[in-house]
Amino acid sequence: MFFNTYVFQAGLVSLLFHKFKGTIIVSAVYLALSIAFHVWVLNLRWQNSNSFVWNDGLQALFVFQRLVAVFYYYFYKRTALCLGDPRFYEDSLWLRQEFIRVQK
């Protein structure tokens, strides 16, 4: 959705990064935890496919990944609602003031 905004098309990507850096960071952490969890599960199942594979470290990673998922979904929905604001899709005084503020 970032690519469809006037802010992105005008080349003010730093403004989008500044405004949505929390969402970007939480998304990257959630992606890394999800990849780590699934790689670990696949490795354990690949080594022993006929038994139930679940150890304490895997359970801890699973719980931590699910806790981060709560923040991921919150930030994701908040960003989607924020990007629905028409100010991101047209030139305005607000956009010019935000750009000046971010550059300082």
Side-chain angles (χ1 to χ4, degrees), residues 2 11 28 62 67 93:
F2 287 135
F62 174 76
L67 288 173
L93 181 61

Side-chain angles (χ1 to χ4, degrees), residues 68-88:
V68 172
V70 173
F71 293 103
Y72 168 74
Y73 290 119
Y74 169 75
F75 277 96
Y76 184 81
K77 288 189 91 147
R78 188 182 75 168
T79 299
L81 289 172
C82 189
L83 284 176
D85 190 356
R87 295 184 299 177
F88 286 102

Side-chain angles (χ1 to χ4, degrees), residues 2 16-30 75 79:
F2 287 135
L16 284 174
F17 283 145
H18 179 72
K19 187 139 182 81
F20 298 109
K21 68 181 169 187
T23 302
I24 294 168
I25 291 170
V26 168
S27 297
V29 168
Y30 179 69
F75 277 96
T79 299

Side-chain angles (χ1 to χ4, degrees), residues 6-65:
Y6 175 79
V7 178
F8 186 87
Q9 293 173 357
L12 305 174
V13 179
S14 63
L15 177 65
L16 284 174
F17 283 145
H18 179 72
K19 187 139 182 81
F20 298 109
K21 68 181 169 187
T23 302
I24 294 168
I25 291 170
V26 168
S27 297
V29 168
Y30 179 69
L31 178 66
L33 286 172
S34 296
I35 289 172
F37 173 72
H38 287 91
V39 164
W40 195 354
V41 167
L42 287 174
N43 280 333
L44 289 175
R45 287 189 182 162
W46 188 270
Q47 294 168 0
N48 194 1
S49 61
N50 293 330
S51 67
F52 181 71
V53 289
W54 198 261
N55 55 31
D56 292 338
L58 187 62
Q59 185 173 4
L61 181 59
F62 174 76
V63 169
F64 188 60
Q65 188 255 354

